[in-house]
Amino acid sequence: QQQVKQSPQSLIVQKGGISIINCAYENTAFDYFPWYQQFPGKGPALLIAIRPDVSEKKEGRFTISFNKSAKQFSLHIMDSQPGDSATYFCAASKSYSGSARQLTFGSGTQLTVLP
Amino acid sequence: SAVISQKPSRDICQRGTSLTIQCQVDSQVTMMFWYRQQPGQSLTLIATANQGSEATYESGFVIDKFPISRPNLTFSTLTVSNMSPEDSSIYLCSAREGTGYPGELFFGEGSRLTVL
């Protein structure tokens, strides 16, 4: 079963705090793990992504931590800002030869950063 | 990065009718997809739109209900046929540039359908 389980469903953080969203997957063939950010009324947009050959990737205030043995990965948002309030989706995909390589999405986390 | 435009952005439809959603990409893309996102839920892949051939549907989705066209590398349509209230959802067009893996997936802003 190609599933990606995401938690928590919702998260409220104070401005300046750290937001942490977790995802777990089952299929060991997954080899690409992106995070998407979606604002109300907009489509999802790629935020940051990681491949399983590294344990961590950082871009500005956003960091992905990846634990291959546990089949888990997480998104950390440092110094969270009200503008970060959005829905975050983790996802995973596996490489095919000449095929769709479609993403399997987690259930989403609605983040609210209080001013 | 590709910019994806969808029309209509929202519509209210009557049960039993059909609606076609258009997706236009501002550059040629290798792959186009259609997703469904029910309110407050995750994204579910409906199908891959293949240029010049029949779309590839995911489990639970069939061509008679969701016919898809892709006449060229920048345009696709999704029709939601014989709609029922259960079809009320956001339908998202997405596209991937290039052939390398994994490649970034871009999304349109979605078409929000309400079926009465």
Side-chain angles (χ1 to χ4, degrees), chain A residues 15 22 37 43 56 59 65-66 90 99 115:
Chain A
K15 178 182 176 180
N22 301 298
Q37 179 187 55
E56 184 175 283
E59 291 184 1
S65 296
F66 183 79
C90 63
S99 183

Side-chain angles (χ1 to χ4, degrees), chain A residues 14-80:
Chain A
Q14 292 287 338
K15 178 182 176 180
I18 302 173
S19 304
I20 301 174
I21 304 171
N22 301 298
C23 282
Y25 62 96
E26 300 175 354
N27 192 332
T28 55
F30 285 144
D31 59 4
Y32 174 63
F33 303 90
W35 285 89
Y36 279 79
Q37 179 187 55
Q38 185 177 30
F39 293 104
K42 302 294 185 181
L46 179 65
L47 184 63
I48 186 172
I50 197 169
R51 301 292 296 272
D53 52 345
V54 296
S55 61
E56 184 175 283
K57 183 174 182 179
K58 183 177 181 179
E59 291 184 1
R61 296 185 293 109
F62 301 91
T63 300
I64 299 178
S65 296
F66 183 79
N67 187 328
K68 188 174 182 178
S69 61
K71 294 187 287 186
Q72 296 175 345
F73 58 109
S74 60
L75 176 69
H76 297 235
I77 305 174
M78 311 300 288
D79 187 26
S80 299

Side-chain angles (χ1 to χ4, degrees), chain B residues 2-78:
Chain B
V3 176
I4 300 176
S5 302
Q6 287 186 233
K7 290 193 297 186
S9 58
R10 58 178 62 232
D11 207 340
I12 299 174
C13 307
Q14 296 297 320
R15 180 195 298 260
T17 63
S18 298
L19 181 77
T20 296
I21 303 168
Q22 297 181 358
C23 175
Q24 179 73 54
V25 188
D26 70 343
S27 60
Q28 293 187 345
V29 292
T30 51
M31 309 202 76
M32 296 183 72
F33 308 92
W34 287 96
Y35 283 84
R36 182 171 71 184
Q37 184 177 26
Q38 294 176 312
Q41 302 297 315
S42 187
L43 289 80
T44 301
L45 181 65
I46 297 172
T48 301
N50 300 309
Q51 187 207 353
S53 64
E54 190 173 289
T56 304
Y57 290 85
E58 297 301 305
S59 176
F61 298 97
V62 295
I63 187 172
D64 289 345
K65 177 67 175 177
F66 298 101
I68 289 171
S69 77
R70 188 181 173 193
N72 57 49
L73 291 176
T74 64
F75 186 78
S76 178
T77 66
L78 167 73

Side-chain angles (χ1 to χ4, degrees), chain A residues 31 38 42-43 93 100-101 106, chain B residues 37 42 96 99 101-102 105 108-109:
Chain A
D31 59 4
Q38 185 177 30
K42 302 294 185 181
S93 70
R101 304 181 296 236
Chain B
Q37 184 177 26
S42 187
R96 178 178 282 128
T99 57
Y101 180 79
L105 195 63
E109 295 195 340

